[in-house]
Amino acid sequence: MSGLRVSGLERLTAGRGLLFGGDYNPEQWPEEVWAEDVALMRDAGVNLVTVGVFSWARLEPEPGARDFGWLDRVMDLMAGAGIAVDLATPTASPPPWLGHLQPETLPVDASGHRLWYGSRNQFCPSSPVYRERALGLVRDLAARYAGHPALALWHVGNEYGQVCHCDVSAQAFRTWLERRYGGLDALNAAWGTTFWSQRYSGWAEILPPRRAPYLVNPTQSLDWQRFCSDALLDHFRAERDVLREHTPDIPVTTNFMGLFKPVDAWRWAAEEDVVSNDCYPDPGDPLAPARTALVHDLMRGLAGGRPWLLMEQAAGAVNWRPHNLPKPPGQLRLESLQALARGADGLCYFQWRASRFGAERFHSAMVPHAGPSTRLHREVRAHGRELRRLGGVAGQPVPARVALVFGWESWWALEEPGRPSDRLRADEQLLAYYLPLWERGVGVDVVPPGAELGGYALVVVPNLFLVTDRDADALTAYVRGGGTLVVGPFSGVVDPDGHVRTGRFPAPLRAVLGASGEEWLPAAGEVGCRWRDGDAFTAHTWTELMAAEGAEAVAGFTGGDLAGRPAVLRHRAGDGVAWYVATLPEPAALAEVMARALADAGVRGEVAELPPGVEAVRRGEVLFLLNHGAATARVDPGGRCEDLLTGAVADGPVTLPPRAVAALRRRT
């Protein structure tokens, strides 16, 4: 972790406390509105705004022209108000003139159709023309605002995820493959091109996985996903390096989108100075609190355990779901403080003032269409003010004794077409195994395959379909050294080329699990199971024909062809314990698996007992209790505590109405 990466966000919070603000698009408004915006921002405690994300056409109205005057005035206004600026490079959405004059910069889909301007993100990541135009503007932007007192952070592009299948991308893909494999013989071996007569005799024959009559080569598709993530990352690096030439002391970020499949966030995070994320929980999703907590823990993992920045969240309803439920009163604060509790040192929104026109005119904002004299904006102001009372939380760690292993390459490989079932999904399994930990208030770090595991008492691998020999050996060594491991189904199935590991599965983990399987058996419906020492339960979707090889079958299947066969196995290996779950248990049964594994690991939650819907997470010395449920809850934090949000001191249970939050610091 570089010194800049550690200091960038911390330098901002050291002078300002927790960061609070959002995307600001002054170019959409007459300049007389800007003064009102600044006054409202100061009243709300806003100390960071993101400016210029989609302003390429305004900054470069025609090829080679520059119009920085309006941005000069905005930057000066922010500096005068003491508001820091996260200045964006506006390269996520090129102006219409670029697509009109040079349509080869526009992306092409897998069917060969060119996608046109009129929306956003209309660029080919591999286009040298796009790269030249983008870097030219970025270079002038950096030169102009280097040393400006408002400039505190650079925001490169926006929500990277573009894919292009054009001929330029095809050539870039071939170049990437030549670097990876060195020669065609190695590529043909890795891609298994003896299947379906796919052998390549020249590099020019290789294409992106375009639309084909039937299933495409899964290793070709896996490499394509690797390439697409790397192509975007290469452009991010190019812009970042230009910015660093002019402003070496200003940190650089770009905004992730949580569990977003197209980009390998582990590779990207290593290239950023500040990890930031856009997060939009669905108010209609009952699992949204746990799903969001998981994403926040992922961001903290991407940041190497350091603080991260919530770049975007919604103040109210979004506009892009088919039916956009509003946030009830108090939800804005609840979700924002949830991010703070899980490591965010900045809490920002999209956007500051609701747009009158354009595709997002019905997306909520900190200042809604009805203006500042509204319930929503009063909530914004109140929340901004209360964050000052939590300034001491900034920079504090979120302790965790449990690691959740998740890798993008395995996700890509797992979800290729042509597998036993499309219903086994990596992100859903990740959430399923996370949920019982969240419900118990157990701190969790999300880590990549190959991470250092020595500091964790429990390691959970919900699904690692693709695993390297080295990473499998590390998991084995972790258990033999005294750790507790839980592995979910359909793991350890393929190598990094996507080739099935032959023999009984999961071949590279067979010894440490003390069990092996011979068939993957997707289920037509519910499957009966029973604990060896207790009650019956059901599983669904997926089963495996397993045999114990030293492991104990703690639960077994009770019906059909698998009757009497193991469903959940526990194996003592060396000084540790390994669990294998060969099905998808119902939530209560999976919670029982996790409870038993936690007992093996000697891990407990932050409080002795949590009511349903209440989240408990510790950050530094502060225990956050957040009530996501519909009923008032009482939680005993286990001692005399002061609530930093209210100043109240309690010696016993704390009462939490719906959507209430307590930030408790122990007092003697």
Side-chain angles (χ1 to χ4, degrees), residues 564-621:
R565 291 285 192 162
V568 180
L569 300 108
R570 178 182 181 273
H571 184 229
R572 184 165 293 281
D575 294 327
V577 176
W579 291 74
Y580 186 69
V581 184
T583 187
L584 306 188
E586 61 179 280
L590 185 54
E592 177 63 20
V593 173
M594 297 306 297
R596 297 185 185 207
L598 287 167
D600 280 341
V603 175
R604 297 180 179 178
E606 288 294 342
V607 298
E609 186 174 349
L610 274 178
V614 176
E615 177 177 0
V617 58
R618 185 174 300 279
R619 185 169 185 196
E621 297 180 349

Side-chain angles (χ1 to χ4, degrees), residues 174-185:
R174 294 178 198 119
T175 301
W176 183 93
L177 291 169
E178 285 191 72
R179 287 198 302 266
R180 181 176 179 86
Y181 293 109
L184 281 173
D185 288 344

Side-chain angles (χ1 to χ4, degrees), residues 113-124:
H113 300 133
R114 193 168 294 280
L115 307 181
W116 294 93
Y117 49 86
S119 180
R120 72 181 204 185
N121 305 332
Q122 72 282 5
F123 66 87
C124 166

Side-chain angles (χ1 to χ4, degrees), residues 226-583:
R226 288 165 169 152
F227 160 76
C228 288
S229 178
D230 282 357
L232 288 167
L233 179 57
D234 186 59
H235 188 80
F236 167 82
R237 288 194 194 104
E239 291 198 24
R240 179 204 63 191
D241 291 348
V242 168
L243 298 172
R244 285 181 175 173
E245 288 174 14
H246 293 273
T247 56
D249 296 328
I250 301 298
V252 181
T253 190
T254 191
N255 42 342
F256 292 126
M257 291 182 283
L259 283 164
F260 181 61
K261 195 174 180 183
V263 296
D264 183 346
W266 295 117
R267 285 176 57 81
W268 279 66
E271 303 287 347
E272 293 186 294
D273 302 318
V274 174
V275 167
S276 59
N277 189 50
D278 298 350
C279 188
Y280 293 97
D282 184 350
D285 177 10
L287 294 179
R291 199 184 306 275
T292 304
L294 169 60
V295 167
H296 294 341
D297 287 348
L298 171 63
M299 291 304 126
R300 192 178 67 254
L302 292 169
R306 305 297 303 181
W308 54 279
L309 174 62
L310 180 55
M311 184 71 76
E312 292 184 24
Q313 57 182 322
V318 300
N319 70 303
W320 39 264
R321 294 187 178 104
H323 187 62
N324 296 295
L325 297 179
K327 291 185 178 181
Q331 191 74 13
L332 174 155
R333 173 181 184 258
L334 176 67
E335 292 179 354
S336 189
L337 290 176
Q338 182 188 32
L340 172 65
R342 294 190 176 272
D345 274 1
L347 306 164
C348 299
Y349 293 81
F350 179 83
Q351 57 180 329
W352 167 252
R353 185 180 286 272
S355 298
R356 292 179 57 243
F357 45 75
E360 293 174 322
R361 66 193 190 279
F362 293 114
H363 195 292
S364 62
M366 300 168 79
V367 180
H369 289 303
S373 298
T374 51
R375 174 193 63 78
L376 190 152
H377 189 67
R378 285 192 290 272
E379 277 197 61
V380 167
R381 292 198 304 268
H383 182 48
R385 287 192 292 267
E386 79 173 347
L387 288 177
R388 300 169 193 169
R389 298 196 288 274
L390 296 172
V393 174
Q396 295 300 305
V398 179
R401 297 185 64 207
V402 176
L404 201 64
V405 178
F406 181 78
W408 259 260
E409 290 197 352
S410 181
W411 187 7
W412 293 334
L414 171 71
E415 297 187 4
E416 282 298 310
R419 60 193 186 275
S421 173
D422 289 351
R423 299 177 187 176
L424 189 67
R425 301 182 61 85
D427 53 344
E428 292 177 0
Q429 287 305 292
L430 188 69
L431 179 63
Y433 280 79
Y434 180 83
L435 183 60
L437 299 168
W438 179 83
E439 290 173 337
R440 287 174 171 265
V442 173
V444 175
D445 284 342
V446 183
V447 303
E452 171 55 48
L453 302 175
Y456 298 104
L458 173 64
V459 171
V460 183
V461 183
N463 178 272
L464 201 58
F465 174 72
L466 181 155
V467 66
T468 66
D469 292 341
R470 181 178 179 179
D471 293 346
D473 290 345
L475 291 172
T476 298
Y478 165 77
V479 176
R480 296 195 181 282
T484 300
L485 173 69
V486 178
V487 178
F490 211 37
S491 292
V493 175
V494 302
D495 66 16
D497 290 328
H499 297 190
V500 173
R501 294 176 178 273
T502 56
R504 298 180 67 88
F505 61 82
L509 297 171
R510 179 177 175 181
V512 75
L513 295 175
S516 69
E518 58 187 89
E519 288 186 64
W520 301 293
L521 304 169
E526 288 191 346
V527 179
C529 302
R530 180 177 294 276
W531 295 105
R532 183 178 177 183
D533 58 1
D535 297 333
F537 64 92
T538 61
H540 61 92
T541 306
W542 184 271
T543 62
E544 295 175 354
L545 177 57
M546 300 293 298
E549 298 173 337
E552 172 194 6
V554 296
F557 297 109
T558 58
D561 295 338
L562 289 177
R565 291 285 192 162
V568 180
L569 300 108
R570 178 182 181 273
H571 184 229
R572 184 165 293 281
D575 294 327
V577 176
W579 291 74
Y580 186 69
V581 184
T583 187

Side-chain angles (χ1 to χ4, degrees), residues 62-80:
E62 57 186 42
R66 295 290 185 265
D67 179 6
F68 288 121
W70 67 275
L71 186 53
D72 291 345
R73 295 189 291 277
V74 171
M75 295 289 286
D76 291 345
L77 270 175
M78 295 300 114

